Amino acid sequence: MSTQTPANTADNAPAAALEAAKTSNFLRQIIEADLDKGTYASRRWAGTPGDAAHHAAGQPDPAKIRTRFPPEPNGYLHVGHAKSICINFGLARDYGGVCHLRFDDTNPEKEDTEYVNSIIDAVKWLGFDWNGSKDAAPYQASDYFDFMYRAAEHLIEAGHAYVDEQTVEQIRINRGDFSKPGVNSPFRSRTPAENLAKFREMRDGKHEDGSMVLRAKIDMASPNINMRDPAIYRIRRATHHNTGDTWCIYPMYTYAHPIEDALEQITHSLCTLEFEDQRPFYDWLLERLTEVTTLPDGRVVGGLLAAPAPRQYEFARLNLTYVITSKRKLAQLVYDHKVSGWDDPRMPTIVGLRRRGYTPAAIQTFADRIGVTKSDSWIDYSTLEGCLREDLELKAHRGMAVLNPVKLVLTNWDDVMGAGHLEPCTLPALPHPPEGTESPIRHFTIGKEVWIEREDFEEVPPKGYKRLFPGNKVRLKGGYVIECTGSTKDTNGVITEVLATVVPDTKSGTPGADSVKVKAAITWVGVADGVNAEVRMYDRLFLDAHPDAGGKDFIESLNPNSLKVVTAIVEPSLANAKPDDKFQFERHGYFVADRIDHKAEKPVFNLAVGLKDSWGK
């Protein structure tokens, strides 16, 4: 039998996130208090999940704590899940523990292996491994279905569960509401033997879908409606992606989840605040599956799960402005073709953020920066963008790109430099290379014709304008000082060329570079070696900070300008980009070579984030 060891993050885990100072929060305080008291020091671990007898044969658990990330494989993970991933895996990492990746696949009608694979990929990309080994398979709730069924029979025999044959509507009405207690089901008084027989009939497929459910017998007058005899099993004839057609009954999530935690010896079960009202049932169930019970016939049963039982703790979910995280609404955007797919760079899904150019380090920094609280609050989207800027500032190679090009003709170039001459130029790829290293060098050429941004020329300059206008001098960055002499236009009055003269002996990096003082330097790309590229200028998907608040249709808040596609011209160093390579296009922002569409013969770059927040007040 193998024994797992405490896991660190994967080798490619972002160093900046790992080295970031860890801010104390209530979850850290709970864990530290438990470690100080030795709350879970007596736990044993048999190498794999299992019941009390299974773990009793194991060794003292080498993991000081065990957390878990339990997504349901019914969709793509989003930025809110990324926060939960960073919390659960990060706390396990920081306290010498193990975090389990477990699929809560108890709803066969909505789950698919496509989502399973996407979740595995997302967790790996964020820099984490799971279940104590880099090569470990994720756990699955469906692997525990046999035990869950056995536990349900135990609850029935101990008088803690019964089969209810009311309709769904009758159950809803009889549950009551916050001002009215519930009404006991007419089937609540059945004997354990009768309930056990009915439950086995459910298992054996002798009853129709929806005709009966197994309910926990707790308290129909409880002020917590979740404790008014919640359903724990339902009949559902559906093929499961893992178990096939083995079962026609499936456990409810609220029943399955605490059992999964206990079988995996989880110590701290961390979830968002919407599960706070479910915690009493979580504790109720684990208490009854951990305790030993003597039945009326004298049999001693119970003790199915190892003690001490897991504890559930809730934290505030991520509320991010200009973002929706409802799976249903995200799916609507995809299926109504408002976006190109789940990985559209405007989507808040992890695959979308990755394609947009976000990095694991930026997301981990974001999760650490916003902290963990018990109260809901809104985080401004600019906080997430700021974390990406910080990460890319020191890492992203620089390059010049012209997004709205107009040709600049140096009319005296042939006379001064020689007809057809191309002068080699260089600039550092990293203005601030890591200490002890030198920056890579970018190589490009300047000739008689170059491309500049159309906005860098004005016939009649506004006040304070320092770029090209007749009579003004600027520097072509990394090249020469030039003096603007005018422009040419087409029949519609549109400027087709900007005209200038080159000032000899002013090339950057030469002794004469400072002989002429200028007030501005502009970016450019040579006509001779510039490369055409498709550049996708992404912006926020919604115009409203709270697009789905107040009952309004979130579709009405869509930003019609969230994507603009331009044909740009980029310097030759960018022609060597590989998919997912990230750059700073000088003066424009940070861009990433698209993971899917970028090809050497047809470069495609996505705007990841601007150099500054364009949405700030």
Side-chain angles (χ1 to χ4, degrees):
M1 182 176 295
S2 65
T3 301
Q4 293 175 344
T5 55
N8 295 315
T9 53
D11 289 339
N12 65 348
L18 296 181
E19 296 171 1
K22 300 299 184 294
T23 304
S24 182
N25 56 58
F26 78 97
L27 293 179
R28 289 184 177 276
Q29 293 165 3
I30 288 169
I31 291 170
E32 289 165 5
D34 284 337
L35 291 175
D36 288 343
K37 293 183 294 186
T39 303
Y40 297 98
S42 63
R43 286 178 309 120
R44 304 184 75 82
W45 174 250
T48 56
D51 59 13
H54 175 74
H55 288 303
Q59 302 175 6
D61 195 343
K64 292 183 179 179
I65 66 169
R66 287 184 183 268
T67 59
R68 84 290 170 273
F69 176 64
E72 183 181 358
N74 65 349
Y76 283 80
L77 301 185
H78 54 63
V79 64
H81 295 112
K83 172 186 175 181
S84 182
I85 290 170
C86 292
I87 290 173
N88 280 284
F89 284 91
L91 289 172
R93 172 197 66 205
D94 295 344
Y95 290 100
V98 169
C99 183
H100 295 190
L101 174 60
R102 175 215 306 151
F103 291 108
D104 258 317
D105 54 350
T106 58
N107 189 354
E109 295 170 308
K110 297 183 178 180
E111 296 157 1
D112 194 277
T113 52
E114 174 190 354
Y115 303 131
V116 170
N117 294 332
S118 73
I119 291 168
I120 290 173
D121 186 59
V123 176
K124 285 183 176 179
W125 175 72
L126 282 171
F128 298 106
D129 57 51
W130 52 81
N131 306 357
S133 168
K134 294 175 183 176
D135 301 318
Y139 295 136
Q140 301 177 99
S142 54
D143 290 337
Y144 312 145
F145 281 172
D146 286 339
F147 178 87
M148 291 178 190
Y149 178 83
R150 178 158 62 99
E153 286 205 346
H154 166 70
L155 292 175
I156 292 171
E157 288 188 302
H160 299 313
Y162 64 97
V163 174
D164 194 347
E165 297 183 49
Q166 295 182 100
T167 66
V168 172
E169 181 65 13
Q170 287 171 330
I171 290 175
R172 185 190 66 79
I173 293 172
N174 289 337
R175 183 175 285 120
D177 53 35
F178 290 109
S179 61
K180 181 174 64 177
V183 177
N184 284 350
S185 165
F187 302 98
R188 199 175 193 266
S189 59
R190 276 177 169 159
T191 66
E194 291 173 314
N195 284 310
L196 190 58
K198 284 289 185 182
F199 187 52
R200 288 174 177 173
E201 289 176 6
M202 289 171 58
R203 176 200 63 189
D204 295 338
K206 295 182 179 180
H207 300 281
E208 295 298 318
D209 287 15
S211 60
M212 54 184 64
V213 295
L214 181 67
R215 298 177 70 178
K217 185 186 291 187
I218 307 178
D219 181 6
M220 289 300 292
S222 172
N224 183 343
I225 294 179
N226 295 291
M227 297 296 281
R228 295 182 185 177
D229 293 7
I232 59 177
Y233 260 95
R234 81 280 200 197
I235 305 171
R236 187 76 77 246
R237 287 171 175 81
T239 300
H240 191 282
H241 70 89
N242 182 38
T243 61
D245 296 317
T246 301
W247 296 92
C248 66
I249 58 171
Y250 289 97
M252 304 297 287
Y253 175 83
T254 51
Y255 169 77
H257 188 81
I259 292 176
E260 297 157 23
D261 284 350
L263 292 173
E264 295 176 14
Q265 290 289 66
I266 300 303
T267 57
H268 301 82
S269 183
L270 312 177
C271 55
T272 46
L273 282 173
E274 61 260 39
F275 294 100
E276 186 172 27
D277 289 342
Q278 296 286 356
R279 190 186 342 135
F281 177 70
Y282 183 101
D283 294 339
W284 179 93
L285 179 62
L286 292 184
E287 180 181 345
R288 277 144 190 83
L289 296 180
T290 304
E291 68 184 3
V292 176
T293 303
T294 302
L295 299 179
D297 60 9
R299 285 185 297 141
V300 178
V301 298
L304 300 182
L305 297 174
R311 292 293 305 275
Q312 176 179 302
Y313 303 95
E314 306 85 17
F315 59 89
R317 64 179 296 168
L318 173 62
N319 295 309
L320 192 62
T321 59
Y322 299 98
V323 163
I324 59 170
T325 54
S326 159
K327 284 185 179 180
R328 178 183 61 81
K329 292 178 180 178
L330 291 176
Q332 182 179 339
L333 291 173
V334 173
Y335 300 139
D336 289 351
H337 305 291
K338 303 297 184 183
V339 293
S340 62
W342 291 100
D343 66 346
D344 187 298
R346 294 165 292 182
M347 289 281 275
T349 54
I350 294 178
V351 288
L353 291 169
R354 183 178 181 181
R355 193 170 178 186
R356 179 72 175 262
Y358 276 83
T359 63
I363 293 175
Q364 287 202 37
T365 299
F366 173 69
D368 187 64
R369 184 161 295 170
I370 62 177
V372 180
T373 67
K374 289 281 286 185
S375 57
D376 282 321
S377 60
W378 284 91
I379 305 298
D380 194 86
Y381 191 80
S382 62
T383 305
L384 176 61
E385 293 180 317
C387 292
L388 181 59
R389 287 191 195 95
E390 288 177 24
D391 186 45
L392 294 182
E393 169 62 25
L394 299 178
K395 297 178 182 177
H397 283 203
R398 274 36 171 187
M400 290 191 289
V402 179
L403 304 185
N404 185 17
V406 65
K407 188 175 289 185
L408 169 69
V409 180
L410 301 175
T411 55
N412 68 335
W413 180 268
D414 288 349
D415 295 333
V416 174
M417 307 297 295
H421 177 71
L422 296 176
E423 179 70 15
C425 302
T426 61
L427 280 173
L430 288 174
H432 308 289
E435 187 175 354
T437 66
E438 294 185 0
S439 171
I441 300 299
R442 301 144 49 195
H443 297 269
F444 47 94
T445 63
I446 185 173
K448 181 178 181 177
E449 296 179 335
V450 302
W451 299 106
I452 63 171
E453 293 290 350
R454 190 169 289 274
E455 66 183 44
D456 285 346
F457 172 76
E458 291 283 354
E459 282 189 288
V460 181
K463 184 177 181 180
Y465 189 80
K466 298 178 181 179
R467 284 165 281 173
L468 289 170
F469 55 87
N472 194 43
K473 294 185 179 72
V474 301
R475 177 175 294 281
L476 296 179
K477 187 170 184 178
Y480 290 88
V481 172
I482 62 171
E483 181 176 356
C484 182
T485 58
S487 63
T488 62
K489 301 178 183 179
D490 63 16
T491 56
N492 295 318
V494 177
I495 293 171
T496 56
E497 292 180 341
V498 177
L499 306 177
T501 57
V502 62
V503 180
D505 301 321
T506 57
K507 182 182 175 183
S508 296
T510 67
D514 296 327
S515 61
V516 178
K517 302 297 182 183
V518 296
K519 295 182 178 180
I522 64 172
T523 53
W524 57 279
V525 175
V527 169
D529 58 6
V531 177
N532 286 352
E534 178 179 313
V535 175
R536 298 167 180 172
M537 303 295 291
Y538 289 104
D539 204 344
R540 299 182 188 183
L541 187 57
F542 294 100
L543 294 172
D544 294 341
H546 307 288
D548 56 353
K552 62 187 176 186
D553 184 354
F554 72 103
I555 296 296
E556 295 178 2
S557 297
L558 284 171
N559 178 5
N561 298 313
S562 62
L563 170 60
K564 295 180 180 179
V565 181
V566 301
T567 299
I569 303 169
V570 301
E571 71 172 61
S573 67
L574 297 173
N576 300 319
K578 295 180 177 59
D580 215 31
D581 282 351
K582 298 167 182 69
F583 302 90
Q584 184 194 106
F585 288 2
E586 297 186 72
R587 75 186 272 187
H588 293 302
Y590 294 98
F591 291 75
V592 60
D594 189 82
R595 299 182 64 229
I596 308 299
D597 297 331
H598 179 84
K599 303 287 189 299
E601 63 275 15
K602 186 185 177 184
V604 178
F605 295 95
N606 301 330
L607 173 62
V609 65
L611 294 178
K612 60 183 180 179
D613 180 15
S614 62
W615 288 66
K617 293 182 180 179

